[in-house]
DNA sequence: CTTGACCCTGTAGTTGCTACAGCCCCCATA
DNA sequence: TATGGGGGCTGTAGCAACTACAGGGTCAAG
């Protein structure tokens, strides 16, 4: 059961260039090649790529993915390390949400302050540029 | 009242390199120079930089900032264009928050499924890599 | 035998900065 | 006058995580 890079891409909704990029940075191993130098993947590589993509979809950075892959390779270790990375990432996500919500409130206030009219009177512009010419 | 680039940076909490970068990409005009070729800023530039930084803090992209600056230069135009950009950005922020909240839910479910034990049995690993060696 | 879809390598672009390297300049102090 | 520290200058390279070419080779169908 061999897969071309295009089939790997379709199976995981990944662009070909991205797969080659993962190979280049060492997230995916260098695969076997056909006689015409095409990449030749097996199910293990497909699994690994699925893992990477799913992790990326959940917002893990490539460095975190690398760590997860390293930890998940060692089946007999306990999974505290994996848990730690995942929970740390959850905290980051929470922080990001909170930051965006704060930003949203501020942005909304700026927008709501504007009643229309000319740019001269626009409160948005005023709110953005605190220092007038003077 | 002339300012050096360092004073501009302090006044707006902006690194010197960032100010030069804004100049390079045309967000800030090329300033006057002193006899020893130092950048020589006035209050108008300080205002413009403040505007840029405040907009960036509110999450506008540099392209959006560029558009806002263009619109706000024309004081007699009505401010509908500015309103449009700001509201469009608000929508983007809302979308980002919703995306992150969905991601958070999924991540939490993955984490909660894990009871500890070895990596072999770890549900997080299982949830991340749907395709086993088959 | 040609057409079109696929694959190859390598490089440059994206966004918004940040970090040098290697230089110049200015002011104060010894 | 030397010299030391803190600015400033240009230009280039790096970060994340891809994406988009350019300029080729390969393969299956008609």
């Amino acid at each position: 059961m061999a897969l071309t890079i295009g089939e790997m891409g379709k199976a995981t909704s990944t662009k070909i260039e991205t797969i080659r990029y993962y190979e280049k940075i060492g997230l995916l191993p260098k695969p076997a090649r056909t006689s015409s130098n095409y990449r030749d993947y097996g199910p293990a590589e497909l699994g690994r790529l699925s893992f990477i993509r799913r992790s990326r979809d959940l917002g893990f950075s490539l460095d975190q993915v690398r760590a997860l892959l390293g930890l998940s390779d060692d089946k007999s270790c306990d999974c505290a390390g994996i848990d730690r990375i995942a929970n740390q990432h959850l905290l980051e996500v929470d922080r990001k949400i909170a930051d965006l919500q704060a930003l949203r409130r501020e942005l909304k206030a700026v927008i709501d302050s504007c009643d229309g009219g000319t740019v001269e009177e626009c409160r948005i512009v005023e709110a953005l540029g605190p220092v007038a010419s003077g």
Side-chain angles (χ1 to χ4, degrees), chain A residues 45-109:
Chain A
E45 277 113 326
L46 179 56
R48 196 174 172 93
L49 179 56
S50 300
F51 186 102
I52 295 170
R53 295 303 286 180
R54 178 106 178 95
S55 303
R56 294 286 302 126
D57 283 347
L58 286 173
F60 289 96
S61 71
L62 288 182
D63 263 9
Q64 288 174 318
V65 174
R66 209 186 296 273
L68 288 173
L69 280 168
L71 290 171
S72 68
D73 275 352
D74 206 342
K75 296 289 185 210
S76 65
C77 281
D78 89 55
C79 75
I82 288 175
D83 212 62
R84 195 178 45 71
I85 293 176
N87 274 293
Q88 179 199 309
H89 177 47
L90 183 63
L91 278 183
E92 283 164 25
V93 172
D94 281 342
R95 217 173 0 234
K96 236 177 249 177
I97 290 173
D99 284 354
L100 273 178
Q101 281 170 340
L103 187 156
R104 196 218 123 93
R105 273 193 298 277
E106 218 181 329
L107 182 59
K108 189 87 173 46

Side-chain angles (χ1 to χ4, degrees), chain A residues 18-34:
Chain A
T18 305
I19 298 177
R20 286 197 283 248
Y21 170 71
Y22 289 160
E23 178 183 328
K24 194 165 118 191
I25 63 170
L27 267 190
L28 284 175
K30 284 176 193 282
R33 298 290 182 131
T34 68

